[in-house]
Amino acid sequence: MDKLGSLQTFVKVVDEGSFAAAARAIGQSRSQVNRAVIALEENLGVQLLNRTTRQVAVTPSGRAFYDRAKAVLADLHEAEEAIRENRETPSGDIRINAPMSFGTLHLGPALVDFAREYPDIRVELALSDRFIDPVADGYDMTVRISQPSETLALIDHEIIPMNRVLCASPEFIRKHGEPKTPRDLATLPCLHYGNLPAGSNWKMNGPDGPVSVQVNGVFCCNNAEVLRDAAIADLGLALLPTFIAGPELQNGRLISVLCDYQPPELFLYLLYPPSRQLSARIRLLVDFIYDRFGGQAYWDLVQ
């Protein structure tokens, strides 16, 4: 039995939903496809598919085997591409997931430069603030801003700490006064990020250790650019990443406050399956992102 061929045929049947559709997709007869799957079932000693006249349904054993088979075929594909790429100019597709604001403000322009430098590599960038599993969702790489993951199933490549700052507009400070301690945030108008699990509970590390305060939330949003604009419009105090607030802090439209108190540290890091390390194009992209964003963050530099 051609185990690899039978494995590929079985996966195609599940993907297409029928023997006939799988046969058309791979250019074989329906009977050839059926024989390949039967041979695989006999070799494994389990039934992988329930067959009807119109469609096939995957058994529980078949579903578990399909997931493993899909991963094996993907790893094999990556290994083959890695060998080819080591002999020639890197090419192929890279599917990337990244946070919305960082993607539009910083990563997007960087990937435009990457695509210009490596025209044989096709880049697909999907922006979303939802945490995704790069393997389950079919991405080659995920860019995250958070505390690093501890999963052993994925490569975790840290790039740079991502600073955040508590800030407000000069007019807001003139009208309400500058907070002296985190406790003042319980009474002053605050703008908070609506997607944070802690909601309007802000945690900071100060001279005397960790501090937690339930802020006076007057406006929330799951997009930090909206919160930045609300802060510029004198609506309240906001805890913002400097990759968003940096230009406004530099030109004076926003002023940092409570500088002795810092929120928990976040990092910009890359997350990708171990098999992707074999790919020359992934290695190129990792190096490119590190060269662009590693070291001192350009958005934190004083102009």
Side-chain angles (χ1 to χ4, degrees):
M1 182 185 73
D2 177 5
K3 286 188 177 180
L4 179 59
S6 295
L7 200 66
Q8 293 170 324
T9 300
F10 166 69
V11 168
K12 183 61 69 174
V13 170
V14 176
D15 287 341
E16 298 292 335
S18 73
F19 286 93
R24 289 193 295 271
I26 62 179
Q28 294 183 0
S29 69
R30 189 183 186 285
S31 61
Q32 286 176 302
V33 170
N34 191 39
R35 284 197 300 270
V37 175
I38 291 174
L40 187 60
E41 290 176 321
E42 291 176 347
N43 180 260
L44 294 171
V46 297
Q47 185 173 352
L48 301 174
L49 301 172
N50 289 319
R51 299 153 174 82
T52 67
T53 55
R54 295 194 176 185
Q55 62 181 6
V56 295
V58 187
T59 66
S61 295
R63 174 55 61 184
F65 186 72
Y66 168 82
D67 292 338
R68 295 295 297 272
K70 193 88 168 177
V72 167
L73 292 175
D75 288 346
L76 178 61
H77 177 71
E78 286 293 334
E80 290 173 340
E81 288 201 337
I83 294 299
R84 296 190 191 100
E85 289 174 354
N86 286 331
R87 296 180 303 175
E88 57 191 44
T89 302
S91 61
D93 301 336
I94 302 180
R95 298 189 70 235
I96 309 166
N97 172 270
M100 183 67 68
S101 293
F102 186 78
T104 56
L105 295 173
H106 301 284
L107 183 63
L111 290 179
V112 168
D113 291 341
F114 178 82
R116 185 183 297 116
E117 186 170 346
Y118 302 101
D120 293 327
I121 299 177
R122 295 180 297 275
V123 176
E124 178 184 338
L125 174 63
L127 300 179
S128 170
D129 290 328
R130 178 178 64 89
F131 269 31
I132 62 99
D133 180 337
V135 176
D137 290 291
Y139 289 100
D140 299 296
M141 179 185 294
T142 295
V143 179
R144 284 186 178 169
I145 299 174
S146 69
Q147 296 177 344
S149 166
E150 296 182 354
T151 175
L152 298 178
L154 299 168
I155 300 298
D156 189 339
H157 192 103
E158 185 180 308
I159 302 297
I160 191 175
M162 298 296 275
N163 296 320
R164 289 181 291 169
V165 62
L166 184 63
C167 57
S169 69
E171 177 60 23
F172 178 89
I173 298 299
R174 186 195 66 78
K175 181 178 179 180
H176 294 274
E178 183 174 342
K180 304 302 180 184
T181 73
R183 290 189 297 273
D184 296 334
L185 303 178
T187 57
L188 291 170
C190 291
L191 319 171
H192 70 87
Y193 191 79
N195 262 359
L196 289 179
S200 56
N201 186 275
W202 290 2
K203 293 178 172 61
M204 300 180 188
N205 297 310
D208 299 321
V211 178
S212 178
V213 58
Q214 189 73 25
V215 303
N216 176 30
V218 298
F219 184 88
C220 70
C221 182
N222 64 349
N223 181 274
E225 291 176 89
V226 173
L227 297 180
R228 174 203 60 194
D229 294 344
I232 292 172
D234 315 322
L235 200 58
L237 290 147
L239 187 58
L240 298 173
T242 55
F243 75 81
I244 289 177
E248 279 62 46
L249 293 167
Q250 292 165 6
N251 64 30
R253 297 178 74 189
L254 291 175
I255 299 173
S256 60
V257 299
L258 291 179
C259 297
D260 290 336
Y261 295 85
Q262 298 298 318
E265 194 168 39
L266 302 180
F267 295 86
L268 173 69
Y269 67 102
L270 309 179
L271 202 61
Y272 50 91
S275 62
R276 300 303 191 268
Q277 284 189 302
L278 299 172
S279 169
R281 63 181 183 275
I282 295 297
R283 295 197 303 270
L284 276 176
L285 181 57
V286 170
D287 291 343
F288 185 91
I289 291 177
Y290 188 84
D291 289 342
R292 175 65 67 97
F293 299 115
Q296 175 66 54
Y298 59 80
W299 49 79
D300 285 339
L301 296 175
V302 177
Q303 300 296 317

